[in-house]
């Protein structure tokens, strides 16, 4: 029974410590050039418990009514052992799934641009990448995917679902979503695209005669650390009076990039982060920075800030003493190791947890902001989908959604309970007149498209971003 009992086993283990929320499109690994080889030899005496597995294997392969692929039996046994852990982050990947996973570590890829994870047996969106097709289509953190292109995916594992979601640039995927606050699933169509490599964006915001540097990190790819330092250097040449680091909607990435960024901002008195194993105790990682920057720093977070983003936010908050502003982060505090089993299949096993500089474990809890700020309704409206035009005296969930959109854009609908009242009709007519549409008071497809376009435009305006505005006000009181 060579599949289960091997007298001489040489397993190359690539210790890629994954800190992402199951790394659908990106993941985080400690020092990507760190590779350790473990050789396991002389496994002549397997534990007695394996005799039961061997008996089951022999019974099925020889006695089952139909022919059975031995490889599938072995894979099923491995998957079964991992399933008993009750840990969605510990998974077996056959050769095909392993290839897909390794593609997700690339700095660019084709897809919808969203990080996904499995939570309580459900596949959810951790966060859409900023400016990605997923974000533009209206996907939000904690959206549950229940169907892909009309096929029910309940009960399927993360890799089965993501393989259906991924696809070539220019193709469309239809996702049926369950979202908190909505009683019925909604369908969102996303046009796949090439997700850009660029992950760092910067600018200077003039505020009360102060120059505030503003750096957005959309994910932590291989070049993110270097790009951040380059952009920071450019901002510092402009004599900035403060710095905002925005990791909202950032689902994670490579820890080596986080380490490089934090190492330039966090003094060496405290660790930037800590790693804890079951038997190995805690290992601390320190910067070499002698003193803090001469200007104040603030960090923007939300519930889409996960994994690597949380490590950076925690380092700046606890070791740097810089405030976090926005919402509580996602809460991913475990570490996985990817193990090559020698036949191009892998096991990704949770083996560590990461801790904040003060030794806090944020798993399942997230990082609470120092200044809690919720975005306006504009940022929480759902895509408007209509099977037929909406008009006066109708009463349903899509009317309610339209009312919320109108209100968020400054057109008072009178009510937001789903009943299409005369006041709602008046608000629709006003919107239509101001955007060169026939003022019928009926919401048709053209009106829907215009409403969604105006929502997207409003979201991009800095003055509507309460969290960013709070960060800018914070610097007014810093000297």
């Amino acid at each position: 029974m060579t599949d289960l009992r091997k007298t001489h086993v040489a397993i190359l283990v690539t210790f890629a410590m994954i800190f992402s929320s199951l790394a659908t499109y990106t993941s985080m690994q400690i020092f990507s050039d760190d590779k350790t080889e473990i050789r396991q030899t002389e496994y002549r005496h397997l534990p007695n418990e394996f005799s039961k597995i061997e008996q089951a294997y022999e019974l099925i392969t020889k006695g089952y009514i139909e022919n059975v692929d031995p490889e599938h039996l072995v894979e099923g046994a491995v998957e079964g052992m991992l399933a008993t852990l009750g840990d969605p982050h510990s998974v077996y990947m056959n050769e095909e799934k392993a290839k897909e996973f390794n593609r997700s570590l690339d700095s660019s890829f084709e897809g919808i641009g969203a990080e996904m994870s499995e939570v309580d047996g459900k596949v959810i969106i951790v966060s859409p990448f900023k400016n990605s097709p997923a974000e533009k289509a209206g996907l939000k953190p904690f959206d549950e995917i229940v169907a892909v292109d009309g096929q029910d995916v309940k009960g399927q594992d993360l890799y089965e679902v993501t393989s259906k979601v991924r696809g070539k640039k220019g193709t469309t995927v239809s996702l049926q979503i369950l979202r908190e606050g909505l009683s019925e699933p909604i369908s969102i169509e996303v046009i796949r695209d090439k997700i850009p490599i660029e992950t760092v964006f910067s600018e200077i915001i003039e505020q009360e005669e102060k120059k505030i540097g503003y750096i957005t990190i959309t994910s932590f790819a291989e070049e993110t650390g270097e790009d951040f330092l380059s952009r920071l250097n450019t901002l510092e040449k402009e004599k900035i009076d403060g710095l905002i680091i925005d990791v909202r909607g950032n689902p994670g990435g490579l820890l080596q990039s986080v380490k490089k960024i934090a190492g330039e901002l966090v003094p060496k008195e405290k660790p930037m982060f800590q790693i804890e194993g079951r038997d190995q105790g805690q290992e601390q990682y320190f910067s070499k920075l002698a003193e803090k920057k001469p200007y104040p720093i603030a960090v923007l977070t939300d519930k889409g800030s996960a994994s690597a983003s949380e490590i950076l936010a925690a380092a700046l908050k606890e070791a740097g003493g810089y405030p976090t502003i926005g919402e509580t982060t996602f809460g991913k505090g475990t570490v996985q190791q990817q193990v090559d089993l020698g036949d191009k299949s892998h096991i990704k096993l949770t083996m560590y947890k990461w801790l904040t500089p003060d030794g806090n474990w944020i798993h399942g809890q997230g990082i609470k902001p120092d200044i809690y700020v919720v975005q306006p309704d504009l940022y929480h409206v759902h895509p408007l989908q209509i099977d037929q035009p909406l008009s006066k005296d109708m009463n349903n969930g899509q009317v309610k959604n339209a009312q919320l959109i109108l209100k968020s854009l400054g057109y008072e609908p009178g009510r937001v309970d789903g009943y299409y009242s005369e006041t709602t009709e008046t608000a629709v007519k006003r919107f239509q007149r101001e955007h060169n549409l026939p003022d019928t008071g009926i919401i048709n497809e053209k009106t829907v498209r215009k409403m969604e376009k105006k929502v997207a435009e409003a979201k991009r305006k800095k003055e509507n971003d309460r969290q960013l505005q709070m960060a800018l006000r914070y610097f007014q009181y810093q000297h």
Side-chain angles (χ1 to χ4, degrees), residues 288-429:
K288 297 180 180 179
L289 191 65
E291 56 185 21
K292 298 171 69 171
K293 292 287 187 180
Y295 48 79
I297 298 175
V299 187
L300 294 179
T301 65
D302 65 9
K303 60 184 178 181
S305 304
S307 188
S309 298
E310 295 174 290
I311 291 181
L312 180 60
L316 292 167
K317 176 186 175 79
E318 294 184 2
Y322 300 118
T324 54
I325 299 171
E327 297 171 280
T328 302
T329 61
F330 183 82
K332 171 69 164 58
T334 57
V335 183
Q336 286 72 44
Q337 286 189 343
Q338 185 180 348
V339 182
D340 185 345
L341 298 180
D343 61 351
K344 298 182 180 180
S345 67
H346 291 188
I347 284 179
K348 188 153 67 70
L349 186 68
T350 299
M351 298 181 71
Y352 298 92
K353 60 175 70 172
W354 72 264
L355 308 175
T356 70
D358 291 339
N360 297 313
W361 192 39
I362 59 90
H363 192 70
Q365 301 178 35
I367 300 169
K368 293 182 179 179
D370 297 291
I371 305 174
Y372 185 77
V373 182
V374 178
Q375 293 286 53
D377 291 341
L378 177 70
Y379 291 80
H380 302 292
V381 295
H382 312 298
L384 185 57
Q385 301 169 333
I386 58 172
D387 299 323
Q388 59 180 327
L390 305 179
S391 58
K392 186 179 176 182
D393 291 330
M394 292 181 71
N395 192 348
N396 58 45
Q398 287 309 313
V399 172
K400 179 179 179 179
N401 196 19
Q403 290 170 328
L404 291 169
I405 292 174
L406 287 166
K407 188 171 184 177
S408 72
L409 292 172
Y411 299 87
E412 181 53 58
R415 58 201 298 168
V416 290
D417 59 358
Y419 175 68
Y420 205 124
S421 65
E422 186 174 343
T423 307
T424 298
E425 183 183 56
T426 300
V428 172
K429 287 182 177 179

Side-chain angles (χ1 to χ4, degrees), residues 130-164:
K130 287 190 177 180
N131 301 319
S132 67
E135 183 186 59
K136 292 174 182 176
L139 288 171
K140 297 178 182 295
F142 294 98
D143 279 349
E144 180 191 347
I145 300 176
V146 295
V148 179
D149 288 332
Q151 295 183 342
D152 192 331
V153 296
K154 289 181 180 177
Q156 296 184 16
D157 67 30
L158 178 68
Y159 293 95
E160 291 177 294
V161 177
T162 55
S163 67
K164 291 179 172 65

Side-chain angles (χ1 to χ4, degrees), residues 8 36 41 66 138-139 142 144 171 174 176 180-181 197 201 239 262 267 293 298 317 357 359 388 410 418 441 468:
H8 292 83
T36 306
T41 59
E66 295 179 1
L139 288 171
F142 294 98
E144 180 191 347
T171 59
S174 177
Q176 192 172 58
E180 184 179 357
I197 298 175
F201 304 87
K239 308 295 182 183
K293 292 287 187 180
K317 176 186 175 79
Q388 59 180 327
L468 175 59

Side-chain angles (χ1 to χ4, degrees), residues 64-113:
Y64 186 63
I65 191 170
E66 295 179 1
N67 290 329
V68 179
D69 184 345
E71 185 177 344
H72 287 171
L73 286 181
V74 174
E75 289 186 348
V78 175
E79 290 173 342
M81 284 189 283
L82 289 166
T84 63
L85 302 177
D87 175 12
H89 304 293
S90 294
V91 294
Y92 169 76
M93 296 177 282
N94 60 23
E95 182 178 354
E96 182 181 353
K97 290 180 179 178
K99 284 181 181 178
E100 284 293 319
F101 177 79
N102 288 328
R103 286 193 198 106
S104 75
L105 302 180
D106 294 340
S107 55
S108 65
F109 55 89
E110 291 185 354
I112 67 170

Side-chain angles (χ1 to χ4, degrees), residues 246-309:
D246 189 346
V247 292
R248 292 176 297 177
N250 182 326
L254 300 173
L255 183 60
Q256 62 186 16
S257 294
V258 179
K259 183 174 180 287
K260 187 166 289 187
I261 294 170
E264 290 295 319
L265 302 173
V266 175
K268 61 185 178 181
E269 283 76 15
K270 276 187 173 184
M272 295 180 290
F273 59 89
Q274 306 177 59
I275 302 296
E276 182 180 291
R278 185 173 69 182
D279 302 315
Q280 295 89 337
Q282 296 177 2
E283 183 175 358
Q284 299 179 326
Y285 292 81
F286 290 85
S287 76
K288 297 180 180 179
L289 191 65
E291 56 185 21
K292 298 171 69 171
K293 292 287 187 180
Y295 48 79
I297 298 175
V299 187
L300 294 179
T301 65
D302 65 9
K303 60 184 178 181
S305 304
S307 188
S309 298

Side-chain angles (χ1 to χ4, degrees), residues 26 106 117 243 268 402:
T26 185
D106 294 340
S117 183
L243 176 66
K268 61 185 178 181

